[in-house]
Amino acid sequence: MRNIVSFNDNWKFIKNAADEVEAAKGEGESIALPHTWNAVDGQDGGNDYHRGTCWYVKKFAKPEKNETDKAYLEFCGAAMTAEIYLNGEKISRHEGGYSTFRVEITERLEEENTLVVSVDNSNNTTVYPQTADFTFYGGLYRDVNLIIVPETHFELAYCGSQGIKVTPVVNLEEKKAVVTVEAWVCGDADMVTFEVNQEKINASLEDGRAKAEFVIENVHLWDGVDDPYLYTAKAFMENGDIVSTRFGCRKYYIDPQKGFFLNGHPYLLRGVSRHQDFKGVGNALTIEHHKKDMEIIKEIGATTLRLAHYQHAQEFYDLCDENGLIVWAEIPYITMHMKNGRANTLSQMEELVVQNYNHPSIICWGLSNEITAASAVDDDLLENHRLLNNLCHRLDSTRLTTMANVFMLETDSPILEIPDINSYNLYFGWYLGELEQNDEFFDEYHEKYPDRVIGFSEYGADANPQYQAAVPEKGDYTESYQAVYHEHILQMIEKRPWLWATHVWNLFDFAADGRDEGGKHGENQKGLVTIDRKTKKDAFYLYKAAWNKKEPFVHLCGKRYVDRTEDVTEVKVYSNQSKITLVVDGKEFETQTGKTIFKFNVPISGEHKITAIADSCTDSITVKKVEEENQDYIFIKRSPVTNWFDADELDPECFSINDKLAEIKANPKAGAIIDEMMAKGASDRGDVADAVKDNPGLQRMMGRMTLISLLKQSGADDESIKQVNRILQGIKKEN
Ligand code: GCU
């Protein structure tokens, strides 16, 4: 039998030490794992969280074991690069902050032992991620275990694998599954016994590998959220070592025109993304945190999850298996390609696939995220993706590869032809452009490439639940605008079942220490739920109303919008019920039948209690008519440029930055101004401008955007925006 001992307790954390010798003295803060040193400074803004090498020290006595037993240390997550020293000797180095790795320590064990681990999350040019919109927490932020196994045991060292691999192949017509189980053994043994579904098969070992094939008649399918049935496969040897894993029997394919199919039936993949961090603890999550997130995911009714932007904890993939979520797993090959990072992308991908092969929830491996945002599509980048794509298919012939592409990537880019399927991250209606451009983008893409599978891997709008508006607008960071934004996108994705999967960015607010906007420091607030999981924003209930078919509910929006200046206020209800009655101050006001979104126009003159009723479901809010806008509802740092050029200040007969780029450029004089400005901008921003010049698709898209959108997106300062507008206002539009 193998004995797994938790090594989470009794560590010393030393933030600074010159070397292992100094660290080994063990003077430091007593801590237990999981731990990150960026739990606070990684979430408070300023882009100043500690990035460097810190040290962990643990002293332990020689473990009880048979003379011939072997001992391994297992690290489930050390971010980002770890070096392991035992009794003064460096025994391992691991580059990659999100995967499990192990090291054998048998021969180095003494009666009393000193384990020293250095962990480094500093800037470098070889280990991903280096450039991205989330905090790169440092630390031993997942479990550390001591594993004692018999001399001959199932594989532990290769890529942190489980030592057992299960490949179910489903035949839907015959209602059966052929399940191939493989195991790898370290040491001297002749045979392995496999067990699946109460059937046992003995298999001989050849070159350390054993394999058996089981047939499950009347197979109980793993059928998504409705029936995530799991089997267990075991492998054991006469000496008692045993490994086991759960697996699910499912079959899927994606039709470019009809979308995702699971077990032969259409199965809409509509869901969310998740980062692995919580308020106050950083990424040092316990199983309780993971369970909390899964509870919320089940409440919203998602069928798919994009676990961005790296390998998540085994506990969470397990929860996805148990709850039937279809998962997009990925490595942190993100934003900017590093010419010295290729090996790291390959090692992180090999670990991701090898360690997670048995999870039925995972259906694709993400090669990269927005990697062309700050890098040209050159041979090195393309080759890196080809190698990753081939590696995935070599390690796993059963799953698809995918990519999340940035909105600027030209849709005829050769990189899109590398993965099996693709998705795009679009933020029209938030960072730039208008909401309708999301629809236009996908419709154009789908028309141009009807045989390509395409999905929507990211979309979202930041919202601070404190901010409210009667007339929400892009960039105001209000809960109100986020709801309006998602209402548009929801109806867009509901009309396009050929989008193979859609993932809201993000289900939870998460830490990005470099951010300082929307009234919060260090947070990306695109979440439908706050980073402490305590507040579900109105948009959360929009998706719950559309997706959760199990739990009848009614949600009144605007609970936090109490003080209202308007005489007639819009009262919006999200519900998965079809008939909603609104009661105002105890009197029935109006009943509507419909779907998901219900809007009532209610005259207000004082304080009112408003209740929405759907059968046995109710929800209430209180609103107050006030004369002055409640300033607490307004994000005061909002860039003045968004309300500078109100129409009545502009000469409508002349051009302005409120006009669309294409209209302006159609005028020779005004177009010359823009070209000069773009040329100057290009020299400031290096090759990105080439990406525009050589990118007709991007030019077309930009043409549809107002100049003010583009200038804000490019980060132009207020003065230069005013200057451009003054010049344009001097140019008459031709009739
Ligand atoms: C990008 C990126 C995310 C980021 C998001 C945002 O699409 O993939 O990591 O958080 O944009 O700007 O919110």
Side-chain angles (χ1 to χ4, degrees):
M1 281 301 278
R2 57 182 53 191
N3 184 15
I4 298 175
V5 179
S6 170
F7 256 30
N8 285 353
D9 293 339
N10 305 318
W11 288 83
K12 292 286 188 187
F13 171 67
I14 299 102
K15 188 166 183 177
N16 297 300
D19 54 26
E20 178 268 334
V21 173
E22 184 187 329
K25 290 178 189 137
E27 283 115 37
E29 179 196 352
S30 296
I31 58 113
L33 308 182
H35 176 268
T36 172
W37 61 77
N38 297 124
V40 175
D41 72 355
Q43 304 188 335
D44 61 0
N47 204 21
D48 56 1
Y49 62 101
H50 182 67
R51 295 186 66 185
T53 297
C54 297
W55 301 80
Y56 293 85
V57 178
K58 182 181 175 74
K59 299 189 187 294
F60 64 97
K62 186 169 188 175
E64 292 287 313
K65 71 181 189 64
N66 299 327
E67 184 54 35
T68 58
D69 283 352
K70 300 291 184 188
Y72 286 80
L73 286 174
E74 174 181 71
F75 297 84
C76 300
M80 296 290 178
T81 296
E83 293 195 337
I84 318 298
Y85 302 80
L86 185 60
N87 302 325
E89 191 183 354
K90 183 172 161 184
I91 59 173
S92 181
R93 175 182 168 89
H94 182 265
E95 296 180 353
Y98 303 97
S99 55
T100 294
F101 63 97
R102 302 189 189 100
V103 55
E104 188 184 344
I105 58 171
T106 316
E107 307 312 322
R108 296 182 176 86
L109 282 173
E110 294 164 9
E111 286 312 311
E112 294 302 325
N113 300 276
T114 301
L115 170 63
V116 176
V117 183
S118 74
V119 185
D120 173 11
N121 71 336
S122 54
N123 258 310
N124 63 73
T125 59
T126 55
V127 179
Y128 287 94
Q130 289 301 323
T131 309
D133 179 35
F134 62 99
T135 296
F136 307 147
Y137 297 99
L140 290 179
Y141 70 96
R142 292 185 188 149
D143 293 342
V144 173
N145 297 305
L146 172 72
I147 304 176
I148 306 292
V149 287
E151 183 174 18
T152 296
H153 53 273
F154 291 102
E155 177 61 46
L156 282 166
Y158 166 62
C159 262
S161 85
Q162 289 176 286
I164 181 170
K165 178 179 173 184
V166 184
T167 307
V169 177
V170 170
N171 182 321
L172 292 170
E173 294 69 35
E174 297 177 17
K175 294 187 186 317
K176 72 178 185 183
V178 175
V179 180
T180 304
V181 191
E182 301 165 85
W184 285 264
V185 168
C186 229
D188 186 14
D190 302 324
M191 186 186 76
V192 167
T193 302
F194 291 104
E195 180 179 349
V196 167
N197 210 21
Q198 284 84 42
E199 184 189 354
K200 287 195 174 85
I201 297 178
N202 293 332
S204 57
L205 272 160
E206 280 149 37
D207 299 333
R209 174 177 171 260
K211 177 176 165 182
E213 195 170 90
F214 295 81
V215 177
I216 302 179
E217 303 291 350
N218 294 317
V219 63
H220 191 153
L221 296 172
W222 186 90
D223 202 36
V225 290
D226 298 325
D227 186 8
Y229 187 81
L230 293 170
Y231 288 93
T232 298
K234 290 177 188 163
F236 44 94
M237 288 187 282
E238 278 172 355
N239 68 2
D241 195 21
I242 180 168
V243 285
S244 73
T245 183
R246 294 181 303 181
F247 66 94
C249 296
R250 82 281 190 262
K251 186 182 182 84
Y252 69 89
Y253 72 92
I254 307 177
D255 180 297
Q257 293 296 333
K258 295 176 188 157
F260 188 85
F261 283 71
L262 181 64
N263 298 328
H265 56 77
Y267 187 72
L268 264 183
L269 297 186
R270 296 295 179 261
V272 295
S273 283
R274 178 221 193 210
H275 263 300
Q276 59 171 12
D277 71 345
F278 261 69
K279 188 72 181 167
V281 297
N283 63 350
L285 303 187
T286 64
I287 187 64
E288 298 319 312
H289 291 116
H290 293 305
K291 285 180 177 173
K292 177 67 182 166
D293 280 3
M294 184 49 71
E295 201 183 284
I296 296 171
I297 288 161
K298 290 172 72 176
E299 181 186 353
I300 201 171
T303 54
T304 180
L305 274 183
R306 181 179 167 209
L307 291 183
H309 282 302
Y310 34 74
Q311 182 173 333
H312 282 233
Q314 281 307 323
E315 295 89 335
F316 201 74
Y317 293 122
D318 288 343
L319 286 170
C320 293
D321 295 341
E322 292 162 21
N323 290 284
L325 275 298
I326 296 280
V327 168
W328 164 326
E330 65 186 61
I331 59 169
Y333 185 17
I334 183 167
T335 315
M336 186 176 72
H337 172 77
M338 300 190 291
K339 63 182 188 321
N340 300 323
R342 178 183 291 187
N344 183 249
T345 62
L346 295 168
S347 71
Q348 289 206 47
M349 183 60 87
E350 185 170 10
E351 290 176 326
L352 175 71
V353 177
V354 166
Q355 293 175 20
N356 298 288
Y357 180 91
N358 296 331
H359 290 292
S361 54
I362 297 175
I363 60 114
C364 61
W365 306 114
L367 306 183
S368 64
N369 178 75
E370 299 201 340
I371 198 64
T372 61
S375 304
V377 181
D378 62 15
D379 291 345
D380 185 29
L381 182 84
L382 290 168
E383 182 59 11
N384 203 147
H385 280 77
R386 284 190 201 98
L387 290 170
L388 282 169
N389 193 55
N390 297 340
L391 174 65
C392 289
H393 290 142
R394 176 169 63 78
L395 294 170
D396 178 0
S397 60
T398 71
R399 288 183 175 89
L400 300 167
T401 56
T402 185
M403 265 177 77
N405 296 290
V406 66
F407 84 96
M408 293 105 78
L409 178 72
E410 182 52 71
T411 57
D412 64 4
S413 169
I415 200 165
L416 290 167
E417 291 163 28
I418 295 176
D420 299 317
I421 59 178
N422 271 291
S423 283
Y424 263 84
N425 301 346
L426 304 182
Y427 285 95
F428 298 119
W430 176 248
Y431 286 125
L432 74 170
E434 309 310 325
L435 280 166
E436 294 68 25
Q437 290 179 254
N438 294 291
D439 315 41
E440 291 162 10
F441 177 92
F442 282 116
D443 290 343
E444 261 184 39
Y445 186 96
H446 190 55
E447 188 184 345
K448 186 172 179 184
Y449 302 107
D451 299 330
R452 270 192 196 173
V453 169
I454 188 68
F456 199 179
S457 36
E458 278 187 40
Y459 64 94
D462 286 72
N464 180 329
Q466 175 185 329
Y467 300 138
Q468 306 291 331
V471 184
E473 61 178 22
K474 180 175 64 178
D476 67 9
Y477 289 91
T478 60
E479 182 179 21
S480 332
Y481 180 75
Q482 187 191 47
V484 167
Y485 169 93
H486 282 291
E487 285 171 17
H488 178 92
I489 302 288
L490 177 64
Q491 57 84 26
M492 189 273 264
I493 62 179
E494 285 185 336
K495 288 177 190 163
R496 293 164 177 84
W498 42 263
L499 288 170
W500 75 271
T502 65
H503 297 98
V504 176
W505 187 262
N506 195 296
L507 177 56
F508 304 107
D509 292 347
F510 59 90
D513 198 52
R515 281 182 173 255
D516 183 357
E517 53 193 273
K520 287 273 179 70
H521 307 297
E523 278 187 38
N524 180 315
Q525 297 183 83
K526 290 188 185 65
L528 303 176
V529 181
T530 49
I531 191 170
D532 58 10
R533 276 65 174 170
K534 287 180 182 161
T535 303
K536 293 173 183 132
K537 304 172 194 175
D538 285 338
F540 173 88
Y541 294 98
L542 169 72
Y543 287 106
K544 180 177 175 180
W547 296 342
N548 183 323
K549 300 305 176 201
K550 294 174 184 163
E551 174 203 335
F553 82 99
V554 60
H555 171 76
L556 262 169
C557 297
K559 283 190 179 59
R560 288 170 280 271
Y561 182 35
V562 177
D563 297 338
R564 305 191 183 197
T565 56
E566 58 275 21
D567 295 326
V568 177
T569 190
E570 178 183 79
V571 176
K572 198 158 51 175
V573 175
Y574 295 150
S575 176
N576 54 9
Q577 303 303 295
S578 57
K579 185 176 174 186
I580 306 293
T581 296
L582 203 71
V583 174
V584 178
D585 299 330
K587 280 195 268 147
E588 197 169 306
F589 176 78
E590 184 183 342
T591 294
Q592 288 183 16
T593 54
K595 180 173 171 289
T596 310
I597 305 170
F598 303 80
K599 296 179 182 177
F600 301 84
N601 293 316
V602 178
I604 55 174
S605 56
E607 182 165 322
H608 304 278
K609 181 175 181 193
I610 300 174
T611 303
I613 302 170
D615 292 337
S616 58
C617 315
T618 67
D619 191 21
S620 296
I621 59 172
T622 299
V623 300
K624 270 188 240 163
K625 175 75 173 69
V626 295
E627 294 315 310
E628 297 300 320
E629 250 189 332
N630 183 330
Q631 293 304 306
D632 292 343
Y633 295 164
I634 299 169
F635 171 45
I636 49 171
K637 265 184 67 180
R638 190 167 65 189
S639 146
V641 78
T642 51
N643 54 14
W644 260 359
F645 303 96
D646 301 333
D648 56 14
E649 289 173 20
L650 298 173
D651 176 351
E653 293 181 11
C654 296
F655 287 102
S656 79
I657 60 170
N658 286 348
D659 291 321
K660 289 191 170 21
L661 184 65
E663 291 160 24
I664 298 171
K665 291 193 73 166
N667 175 291
K669 204 171 170 195
I673 303 291
I674 298 303
D675 292 343
E676 186 190 327
M677 184 187 75
M678 304 271 283
K680 181 187 174 314
S683 63
D684 297 348
R685 287 193 314 280
D687 65 350
V688 173
D690 296 343
V692 175
K693 187 165 53 66
D694 310 336
N695 190 331
L698 182 57
Q699 285 171 2
R700 253 196 330 278
M701 183 207 38
M702 289 170 71
R704 285 195 290 264
M705 290 162 46
T706 61
L707 184 54
I708 191 167
S709 270
L710 287 162
L711 291 169
K712 275 179 63 181
Q713 171 70 0
S714 69
D717 63 67
D718 298 351
E719 265 324 301
S720 37
I721 293 174
K722 277 186 173 176
Q723 176 63 9
V724 171
N725 190 62
R726 269 194 287 273
I727 297 169
L728 291 172
Q729 279 283 280
I731 302 171
K732 274 228 179 288
K733 292 179 179 179
E734 283 137 21
N735 298 327

